[in-house]
Amino acid sequence: MKLTKHTDIALRVAMRLAVLDEAALPTTREVAESLEVPYNHAAKVVSRLQHLGVVEARRGRGGGLALTGHGRTGSLGRLVRELEGVGDVVGCEDDPPCPLRSACRLRGALAVAQEAFYATLDPLTIDDLVRPPTGPVLVSLSARPDTG
């Protein structure tokens, strides 16, 4: 199973926020630059993470992004399910629809495999993902130098 780029960026943003000092909250732009992802993608991801209660965005002086307690300790499997949305692994109902859709066993087998994938992630949290050796690498990331 392959995750969407949106989910990949969302998980990396959450992991980055999990290791940063809350005394100096980063902006969306700073997180995007440190993770080397386009700002527009990061902004959409941050908005979605905010909606899910994973990230808090504070405006104004001293503002920035912070990972919430729920974002830090909530189930990774649940988060990935929310980010990926509901849907089949294969496009049985695409245009044109698959001619096997009324009698296919593949669709069911793939649904079971997809749930097994999520179930493997269920006991994990963002905090689990940022344990060494990952956390120190995330801390060491800095924004790319401004070339403009």
Side-chain angles (χ1 to χ4, degrees):
M1 183 174 161
K2 184 174 181 178
L3 298 177
T4 63
K5 190 70 169 169
H6 179 85
T7 299
D8 174 42
I9 292 171
L11 295 175
R12 289 192 280 151
V13 165
M15 290 168 64
R16 175 73 169 148
L17 294 177
V19 299
L20 294 179
D21 179 13
E22 291 210 19
L25 301 177
T27 64
T28 301
R29 186 167 305 282
E30 290 167 343
V31 171
E33 289 174 357
S34 68
L35 295 173
E36 298 183 14
V37 298
Y39 170 76
N40 290 341
H41 295 306
K44 289 177 188 175
V45 161
V46 165
S47 176
R48 179 76 171 127
L49 290 173
Q50 239 185 308
H51 177 75
L52 294 173
V54 173
V55 168
E56 178 184 4
R58 301 175 192 159
R59 294 192 179 272
R61 188 176 180 100
L65 304 175
L67 196 63
T68 65
H70 172 70
R72 188 174 294 282
T73 61
S75 166
L76 186 63
R78 184 203 55 78
L79 178 58
V80 172
R81 281 181 187 92
E82 290 284 336
L83 292 167
E84 287 292 303
V86 178
D88 290 327
V89 176
V90 293
C92 301
E93 302 300 327
D94 288 351
D95 188 22
C98 176
L100 301 176
R101 72 186 180 283
S102 65
C104 184
R105 299 178 94 175
L106 177 61
R107 185 179 193 176
L110 291 174
V112 170
Q114 180 181 34
E115 186 49 40
F117 172 80
Y118 289 136
T120 302
L121 298 176
D122 282 339
L124 299 174
T125 67
I126 294 295
D127 272 351
D128 292 329
L129 297 181
V130 298
R131 289 193 179 126
T134 307
V137 173
L138 284 162
V139 170
S140 73
L141 297 178
S142 61
R144 291 179 284 186
D146 185 15
T147 58

Coordinates of all heavy atoms in Angstrom, one line a residue, residues 41-123:
H41 N 1.9 23.0 -0.1 CA 1.5 21.6 0.3 C 1.5 21.6 1.9 O 0.6 21.1 2.5 CB 2.5 20.6 -0.2 CG 2.4 20.4 -1.7 ND1 1.2 20.1 -2.4 CD2 3.4 20.4 -2.6 CE1 1.5 20.0 -3.7 NE2 2.8 20.2 -3.8
A42 N 2.5 22.2 2.4 CA 2.6 22.2 3.9 C 1.5 23.0 4.5 O 0.9 22.6 5.5 CB 4.0 22.8 4.3
A43 N 1.1 24.1 3.9 CA 0.0 24.9 4.4 C -1.3 24.1 4.4 O -2.1 24.1 5.4 CB -0.2 26.2 3.6
K44 N -1.6 23.4 3.3 CA -2.8 22.5 3.3 C -2.7 21.4 4.3 O -3.8 21.1 5.0 CB -2.9 21.9 1.9 CG -3.3 22.9 0.8 CD -3.4 22.3 -0.6 CE -3.6 23.4 -1.6 NZ -3.5 22.8 -3.0
V45 N -1.6 20.8 4.5 CA -1.4 19.8 5.5 C -1.6 20.3 6.9 O -2.3 19.7 7.7 CB 0.0 19.1 5.3 CG1 0.4 18.4 6.6 CG2 0.0 18.2 4.1
V46 N -1.0 21.4 7.2 CA -1.2 22.0 8.5 C -2.7 22.3 8.8 O -3.2 22.1 9.9 CB -0.3 23.3 8.7 CG1 -0.7 24.1 9.9 CG2 1.1 22.9 8.8
S47 N -3.4 22.8 7.8 CA -4.8 23.1 8.0 C -5.6 21.8 8.3 O -6.4 21.8 9.2 CB -5.3 23.8 6.7 OG -6.7 24.0 6.8
R48 N -5.3 20.8 7.6 CA -5.9 19.5 7.8 C -5.6 18.9 9.2 O -6.4 18.5 10.0 CB -5.5 18.5 6.7 CG -6.1 17.1 6.9 CD -7.6 17.1 6.5 NE -8.0 15.7 6.5 CZ -9.1 15.3 7.1 NH1 -9.9 16.1 7.8 NH2 -9.4 14.0 7.1
L49 N -4.3 19.0 9.6 CA -3.9 18.6 10.9 C -4.6 19.4 12.0 O -4.9 18.9 13.1 CB -2.4 18.6 11.1 CG -1.6 17.6 10.2 CD1 -0.1 17.8 10.3 CD2 -2.0 16.2 10.7
Q50 N -4.7 20.7 11.8 CA -5.4 21.5 12.7 C -6.9 21.1 12.9 O -7.4 20.9 14.0 CB -5.5 23.0 12.2 CG -4.8 24.0 13.1 CD -5.0 25.4 12.5 OE1 -4.7 25.6 11.4 NE2 -5.5 26.2 13.3
H51 N -7.5 20.8 11.8 CA -8.9 20.3 11.8 C -9.1 19.0 12.5 O -10.1 18.8 13.2 CB -9.4 20.2 10.3 CG -10.8 19.6 10.2 ND1 -11.9 20.4 10.5 CD2 -11.2 18.4 9.9 CE1 -13.0 19.6 10.3 NE2 -12.6 18.4 10.0
L52 N -8.0 18.2 12.5 CA -8.1 16.9 13.1 C -7.6 17.0 14.6 O -7.7 16.0 15.3 CB -7.2 15.9 12.4 CG -7.6 15.5 11.0 CD1 -6.5 14.6 10.4 CD2 -8.9 14.7 11.1
G53 N -7.3 18.2 15.1 CA -6.9 18.4 16.5 C -5.4 17.9 16.8 O -5.1 17.7 17.9
V54 N -4.6 17.7 15.7 CA -3.3 17.3 15.9 C -2.3 18.4 16.1 O -1.3 18.3 16.8 CB -2.9 16.4 14.7 CG1 -1.4 16.0 14.7 CG2 -3.7 15.1 14.6
V55 N -2.6 19.5 15.4 CA -1.7 20.7 15.5 C -2.5 21.9 15.9 O -3.7 22.1 15.5 CB -1.1 21.0 14.1 CG1 -0.4 22.3 14.0 CG2 -0.1 19.9 13.7
E56 N -1.8 22.7 16.7 CA -2.4 24.0 17.1 C -1.6 25.1 16.4 O -0.4 25.1 16.4 CB -2.4 24.2 18.6 CG -2.9 25.5 19.1 CD -2.7 25.7 20.6 OE1 -2.1 24.8 21.3 OE2 -3.2 26.7 21.1
A57 N -2.3 26.1 15.8 CA -1.6 27.2 15.1 C -1.9 28.4 15.9 O -3.1 28.8 16.1 CB -2.0 27.3 13.7
R58 N -0.9 29.1 16.4 CA -1.1 30.3 17.2 C -0.7 31.5 16.3 O 0.4 31.5 15.7 CB -0.2 30.3 18.4 CG -0.6 29.1 19.3 CD 0.3 29.0 20.5 NE 0.1 27.7 21.2 CZ 1.0 27.2 21.9 NH1 2.2 27.7 22.2 NH2 0.7 26.0 22.5
R59 N -1.5 32.5 16.3 CA -1.2 33.7 15.4 C -0.5 34.8 16.2 O -0.5 34.8 17.4 CB -2.5 34.3 14.9 CG -3.2 33.3 13.9 CD -4.3 34.1 13.2 NE -5.0 33.2 12.3 CZ -4.6 33.1 11.0 NH1 -3.6 33.7 10.6 NH2 -5.3 32.3 10.2
G60 N 0.1 35.7 15.5 CA 0.7 36.9 16.1 C 2.1 36.6 16.6 O 2.7 35.6 16.4
R61 N 2.6 37.7 17.3 CA 3.9 37.6 17.9 C 4.0 36.4 18.9 O 3.2 36.3 19.7 CB 4.2 38.9 18.6 CG 5.6 39.1 19.1 CD 5.8 40.5 19.7 NE 7.2 40.6 20.2 CZ 8.1 41.2 19.5 NH1 7.8 41.8 18.3 NH2 9.3 41.3 20.0
G62 N 5.0 35.7 18.7 CA 5.2 34.5 19.6 C 4.4 33.3 19.1 O 4.3 32.3 19.8
G63 N 3.7 33.5 18.0 CA 2.9 32.4 17.4 C 3.7 31.4 16.7 O 4.9 31.5 16.6
G64 N 3.0 30.4 16.1 CA 3.6 29.4 15.3 C 2.8 28.1 15.5 O 1.6 28.1 15.9
L65 N 3.4 27.0 15.2 CA 2.8 25.7 15.2 C 3.3 24.9 16.4 O 4.4 24.9 16.7 CB 3.1 24.9 13.9 CG 2.7 25.6 12.6 CD1 3.2 24.8 11.4 CD2 1.2 25.8 12.5
A66 N 2.3 24.2 17.0 CA 2.6 23.2 18.1 C 1.8 22.0 17.9 O 0.7 22.0 17.5 CB 2.4 23.9 19.4
L67 N 2.4 20.9 18.3 CA 1.7 19.6 18.3 C 0.9 19.5 19.5 O 1.4 19.9 20.6 CB 2.8 18.5 18.2 CG 2.3 17.1 17.9 CD1 1.7 17.0 16.5 CD2 3.4 16.1 18.0
T68 N -0.3 19.1 19.4 CA -1.2 19.0 20.6 C -0.9 17.7 21.3 O -0.2 16.8 20.8 CB -2.7 19.0 20.2 OG1 -2.9 17.8 19.4 CG2 -3.1 20.2 19.4
G69 N -1.4 17.6 22.5 CA -1.3 16.3 23.3 C -1.9 15.1 22.5 O -1.3 14.1 22.4
H70 N -3.0 15.4 21.9 CA -3.7 14.4 21.1 C -2.8 14.0 19.9 O -2.7 12.8 19.5 CB -5.0 14.9 20.6 CG -5.7 14.0 19.6 ND1 -6.3 12.8 20.0 CD2 -6.0 14.2 18.3 CE1 -6.8 12.2 18.9 NE2 -6.6 13.1 17.9
G71 N -2.2 15.0 19.3 CA -1.3 14.7 18.1 C -0.1 13.9 18.5 O 0.4 13.1 17.8
R72 N 0.4 14.1 19.7 CA 1.6 13.5 20.2 C 1.3 12.0 20.6 O 2.2 11.2 20.4 CB 2.1 14.3 21.4 CG 3.4 13.8 22.0 CD 3.9 14.8 23.1 NE 4.2 16.1 22.6 CZ 5.3 16.5 21.9 NH1 6.2 15.6 21.7 NH2 5.4 17.7 21.5
T73 N 0.2 11.7 21.2 CA -0.1 10.4 21.8 C -1.2 9.7 21.2 O -1.5 8.5 21.6 CB -0.3 10.5 23.3 OG1 -1.5 11.3 23.5 CG2 0.9 11.1 24.0
G74 N -1.9 10.3 20.2 CA -3.0 9.6 19.5 C -2.5 8.5 18.6 O -1.3 8.4 18.2
S75 N -3.4 7.6 18.3 CA -3.0 6.4 17.4 C -2.6 6.8 16.0 O -3.3 7.6 15.4 CB -4.2 5.5 17.3 OG -4.1 4.5 16.3
L76 N -1.4 6.4 15.6 CA -0.9 6.6 14.3 C -1.8 6.0 13.2 O -2.1 6.6 12.2 CB 0.5 6.1 14.2 CG 1.2 6.5 12.9 CD1 1.4 8.0 12.7 CD2 2.6 5.7 12.8
G77 N -2.4 4.8 13.5 CA -3.3 4.2 12.6 C -4.5 5.0 12.3 O -5.0 5.2 11.2
R78 N -5.1 5.5 13.4 CA -6.3 6.4 13.3 C -6.0 7.6 12.5 O -6.7 8.0 11.6 CB -6.8 6.8 14.7 CG -8.1 7.6 14.6 CD -8.4 8.4 15.8 NE -7.3 9.4 16.1 CZ -7.0 10.5 15.5 NH1 -7.8 10.9 14.5 NH2 -6.0 11.3 15.9
L79 N -4.8 8.2 12.7 CA -4.4 9.4 12.0 C -4.3 9.2 10.5 O -4.8 9.9 9.7 CB -3.1 10.0 12.6 CG -2.6 11.3 11.9 CD1 -3.6 12.4 11.9 CD2 -1.3 11.7 12.6
V80 N -3.6 8.1 10.2 CA -3.4 7.7 8.8 C -4.7 7.4 8.1 O -5.0 7.8 7.0 CB -2.4 6.6 8.6 CG1 -2.3 6.1 7.2 CG2 -1.0 7.0 9.1
R81 N -5.6 6.7 8.8 CA -6.9 6.5 8.2 C -7.7 7.8 7.9 O -8.3 7.9 6.9 CB -7.8 5.7 9.2 CG -7.5 4.2 9.3 CD -8.5 3.5 10.3 NE -8.2 2.1 10.5 CZ -7.3 1.7 11.5 NH1 -6.8 2.5 12.3 NH2 -7.1 0.4 11.6
E82 N -7.6 8.7 8.9 CA -8.2 10.1 8.7 C -7.6 10.8 7.5 O -8.3 11.4 6.7 CB -8.1 10.9 9.9 CG -8.9 10.4 11.1 CD -10.4 10.8 10.9 OE1 -10.8 11.7 10.2 OE2 -11.2 10.1 11.6
L83 N -6.3 10.8 7.4 CA -5.6 11.5 6.3 C -5.9 10.8 5.0 O -6.0 11.5 3.9 CB -4.1 11.6 6.6 CG -3.7 12.4 7.8 CD1 -2.3 12.2 8.2 CD2 -4.0 13.9 7.5
E84 N -5.9 9.5 4.9 CA -6.1 8.8 3.7 C -7.5 8.8 3.2 O -7.8 8.7 2.0 CB -5.5 7.4 3.8 CG -4.0 7.2 3.8 CD -3.4 7.6 2.5 OE1 -3.7 7.0 1.4 OE2 -2.5 8.5 2.5
G85 N -8.4 8.9 4.1 CA -9.8 8.8 3.8 C -10.3 7.4 3.5 O -9.5 6.4 3.5
V86 N -11.6 7.2 3.3 CA -12.2 5.9 3.1 C -12.1 5.6 1.6 O -12.4 6.5 0.7 CB -13.6 5.9 3.5 CG1 -14.3 4.6 3.2 CG2 -13.7 6.2 5.0
G87 N -11.7 4.4 1.2 CA -11.7 4.1 -0.2 C -11.0 2.7 -0.4 O -10.3 2.2 0.4
D88 N -11.3 2.2 -1.6 CA -10.7 0.9 -1.9 C -9.3 1.1 -2.4 O -8.9 2.2 -2.9 CB -11.5 0.3 -3.1 CG -12.9 -0.2 -2.7 OD1 -13.0 -0.6 -1.5 OD2 -13.8 -0.1 -3.5
V89 N -8.5 0.1 -2.2 CA -7.1 0.1 -2.7 C -7.1 0.1 -4.2 O -6.2 0.7 -4.8 CB -6.4 -1.2 -2.1 CG1 -4.9 -1.2 -2.7 CG2 -6.3 -1.1 -0.6
V90 N -8.0 -0.6 -4.8 CA -8.1 -0.6 -6.3 C -9.3 0.1 -6.8 O -10.3 0.3 -6.0 CB -8.1 -2.1 -6.9 CG1 -6.7 -2.7 -6.6 CG2 -9.2 -2.9 -6.3
G91 N -9.3 0.6 -8.0 CA -10.4 1.3 -8.6 C -11.5 0.5 -9.3 O -11.6 0.6 -10.5
C92 N -12.2 -0.3 -8.5 CA -13.2 -1.2 -9.1 C -14.3 -0.4 -9.8 O -14.9 -0.9 -10.7 CB -13.8 -2.1 -8.0 SG -12.6 -3.1 -7.2
E93 N -14.6 0.8 -9.3 CA -15.7 1.5 -9.8 C -15.2 2.7 -10.7 O -16.0 3.6 -11.0 CB -16.6 2.1 -8.7 CG -17.1 1.0 -7.7 CD -18.0 0.0 -8.4 OE1 -18.7 0.4 -9.4 OE2 -18.0 -1.1 -8.0
D94 N -14.0 2.6 -11.1 CA -13.4 3.7 -12.0 C -14.2 3.7 -13.3 O -15.1 2.9 -13.6 CB -12.0 3.4 -12.3 CG -11.1 3.7 -11.1 OD1 -11.6 4.3 -10.1 OD2 -9.9 3.4 -11.2
D95 N -13.9 4.7 -14.2 CA -14.5 4.8 -15.5 C -13.5 4.3 -16.5 O -12.5 5.0 -16.7 CB -15.0 6.2 -15.7 CG -15.8 6.3 -17.0 OD1 -16.4 5.3 -17.4 OD2 -15.9 7.5 -17.5
P96 N -13.7 3.3 -17.2 CA -14.8 2.3 -17.1 C -14.6 1.4 -15.9 O -13.5 1.1 -15.5 CB -14.7 1.5 -18.4 CG -13.3 1.5 -18.7 CD -12.7 2.8 -18.2
P97 N -15.7 0.9 -15.3 CA -15.6 0.0 -14.1 C -15.0 -1.3 -14.5 O -15.1 -1.7 -15.6 CB -17.0 -0.1 -13.6 CG -17.9 0.3 -14.7 CD -17.1 1.2 -15.6
C98 N -14.4 -2.0 -13.5 CA -13.8 -3.3 -13.8 C -14.9 -4.3 -14.1 O -15.9 -4.4 -13.4 CB -13.0 -3.7 -12.5 SG -12.3 -5.4 -12.7
P99 N -14.7 -5.1 -15.1 CA -15.8 -6.0 -15.5 C -15.9 -7.2 -14.5 O -16.9 -7.9 -14.5 CB -15.3 -6.6 -16.9 CG -13.9 -6.3 -16.9 CD -13.6 -5.1 -16.1
L100 N -14.9 -7.3 -13.6 CA -15.0 -8.4 -12.6 C -15.6 -8.0 -11.3 O -15.8 -8.8 -10.4 CB -13.5 -8.9 -12.3 CG -12.7 -9.4 -13.4 CD1 -11.3 -9.7 -13.0 CD2 -13.4 -10.6 -14.1
R101 N -16.0 -6.7 -11.2 CA -16.5 -6.2 -9.9 C -17.6 -7.0 -9.2 O -17.7 -7.0 -8.0 CB -16.8 -4.7 -10.0 CG -18.0 -4.4 -10.7 CD -18.1 -2.8 -10.9 NE -19.3 -2.5 -11.6 CZ -19.5 -2.6 -12.9 NH1 -18.5 -3.0 -13.6 NH2 -20.6 -2.2 -13.5
S102 N -18.5 -7.6 -9.9 CA -19.6 -8.3 -9.3 C -19.2 -9.7 -8.8 O -19.9 -10.2 -8.0 CB -20.7 -8.5 -10.3 OG -20.3 -9.3 -11.4
A103 N -18.1 -10.2 -9.1 CA -17.7 -11.5 -8.7 C -16.2 -11.6 -8.3 O -15.6 -12.7 -8.4 CB -18.0 -12.6 -9.8
C104 N -15.6 -10.5 -7.9 CA -14.2 -10.5 -7.7 C -13.8 -10.8 -6.2 O -14.4 -10.2 -5.3 CB -13.6 -9.1 -8.1 SG -11.8 -9.0 -8.0
R105 N -12.8 -11.6 -6.0 CA -12.3 -11.8 -4.7 C -11.1 -10.9 -4.3 O -10.8 -10.8 -3.2 CB -11.9 -13.3 -4.6 CG -13.1 -14.2 -4.9 CD -12.7 -15.6 -4.8 NE -13.0 -16.1 -3.4 CZ -12.8 -17.3 -3.1 NH1 -12.4 -18.2 -3.9 NH2 -13.1 -17.7 -1.8
L106 N -10.5 -10.3 -5.3 CA -9.4 -9.5 -5.1 C -9.7 -8.3 -4.2 O -9.0 -8.0 -3.3 CB -8.8 -9.0 -6.4 CG -7.6 -8.1 -6.3 CD1 -6.4 -8.7 -5.6 CD2 -7.2 -7.6 -7.7
R107 N -10.8 -7.7 -4.5 CA -11.2 -6.5 -3.8 C -11.3 -6.8 -2.3 O -10.8 -6.0 -1.4 CB -12.6 -6.0 -4.3 CG -13.1 -4.7 -3.7 CD -14.4 -4.3 -4.3 NE -14.7 -2.9 -4.0 CZ -15.8 -2.3 -4.5 NH1 -16.6 -3.0 -5.4 NH2 -16.1 -1.1 -4.2
G108 N -11.9 -7.9 -1.9 CA -12.1 -8.2 -0.5 C -10.7 -8.5 0.1 O -10.4 -8.2 1.3
A109 N -9.9 -9.3 -0.6 CA -8.5 -9.6 -0.1 C -7.7 -8.3 0.1 O -7.0 -8.2 1.2 CB -7.8 -10.5 -1.1
L110 N -7.8 -7.4 -0.8 CA -7.1 -6.1 -0.6 C -7.6 -5.3 0.5 O -6.9 -4.6 1.2 CB -7.1 -5.3 -1.9 CG -6.3 -6.0 -3.0 CD1 -6.5 -5.2 -4.3 CD2 -4.8 -6.0 -2.7
A111 N -8.9 -5.3 0.8 CA -9.5 -4.6 1.9 C -9.0 -5.2 3.2 O -8.7 -4.4 4.2 CB -11.0 -4.7 1.9
V112 N -8.9 -6.5 3.3 CA -8.3 -7.1 4.5 C -6.9 -6.7 4.7 O -6.4 -6.4 5.8 CB -8.5 -8.7 4.4 CG1 -7.7 -9.4 5.5 CG2 -9.9 -9.1 4.5
A113 N -6.1 -6.7 3.6 CA -4.7 -6.3 3.7 C -4.5 -4.9 4.1 O -3.7 -4.5 4.9 CB -4.0 -6.6 2.3
Q114 N -5.4 -4.0 3.6 CA -5.4 -2.6 4.0 C -5.6 -2.4 5.4 O -4.9 -1.7 6.1 CB -6.4 -1.8 3.1 CG -6.5 -0.3 3.4 CD -7.5 0.4 2.6 OE1 -8.6 -0.2 2.3 NE2 -7.2 1.6 2.2
E115 N -6.6 -3.1 6.0 CA -6.9 -3.0 7.4 C -5.8 -3.6 8.2 O -5.5 -3.0 9.3 CB -8.2 -3.7 7.7 CG -8.7 -3.5 9.2 CD -8.7 -2.1 9.7 OE1 -9.0 -1.2 8.9 OE2 -8.3 -1.9 10.8
A116 N -5.1 -4.6 7.8 CA -4.0 -5.2 8.5 C -2.8 -4.1 8.5 O -2.2 -4.0 9.6 CB -3.5 -6.4 7.8
F117 N -2.7 -3.4 7.5 CA -1.7 -2.3 7.4 C -2.0 -1.3 8.5 O -1.1 -0.9 9.3 CB -1.7 -1.7 6.0 CG -0.9 -0.4 5.9 CD1 0.5 -0.5 5.7 CD2 -1.5 0.8 5.9 CE1 1.3 0.6 5.5 CE2 -0.7 2.0 5.7 CZ 0.7 1.9 5.5
Y118 N -3.2 -0.8 8.5 CA -3.6 0.2 9.5 C -3.5 -0.4 10.9 O -3.1 0.3 11.9 CB -5.1 0.7 9.3 CG -5.2 1.6 8.0 CD1 -6.3 1.4 7.2 CD2 -4.3 2.6 7.8 CE1 -6.4 2.2 6.0 CE2 -4.5 3.4 6.6 CZ -5.5 3.2 5.8 OH -5.7 4.0 4.7
A119 N -3.9 -1.6 11.1 CA -3.8 -2.2 12.4 C -2.4 -2.3 13.0 O -2.2 -2.2 14.2 CB -4.4 -3.6 12.4
T120 N -1.4 -2.4 12.1 CA 0.0 -2.4 12.5 C 0.4 -1.0 13.0 O 1.2 -0.9 13.9 CB 0.9 -2.8 11.3 OG1 0.5 -4.1 10.8 CG2 2.3 -2.8 11.7
L121 N -0.2 0.0 12.5 CA 0.1 1.4 12.9 C -0.7 1.8 14.1 O -0.4 2.7 14.8 CB -0.2 2.4 11.8 CG 0.6 2.2 10.5 CD1 0.1 3.2 9.4 CD2 2.0 2.3 10.8
D122 N -1.8 1.1 14.4 CA -2.7 1.5 15.5 C -2.0 1.7 16.9 O -2.3 2.7 17.6 CB -3.9 0.5 15.7 CG -5.0 0.7 14.7 OD1 -5.1 1.9 14.1 OD2 -5.8 -0.2 14.4
P123 N -1.1 0.8 17.3 CA -0.5 1.0 18.6 C 0.6 2.1 18.7 O 1.0 2.5 19.7 CB 0.0 -0.4 19.0 CG 0.2 -1.0 17.7 CD -0.8 -0.5 16.8

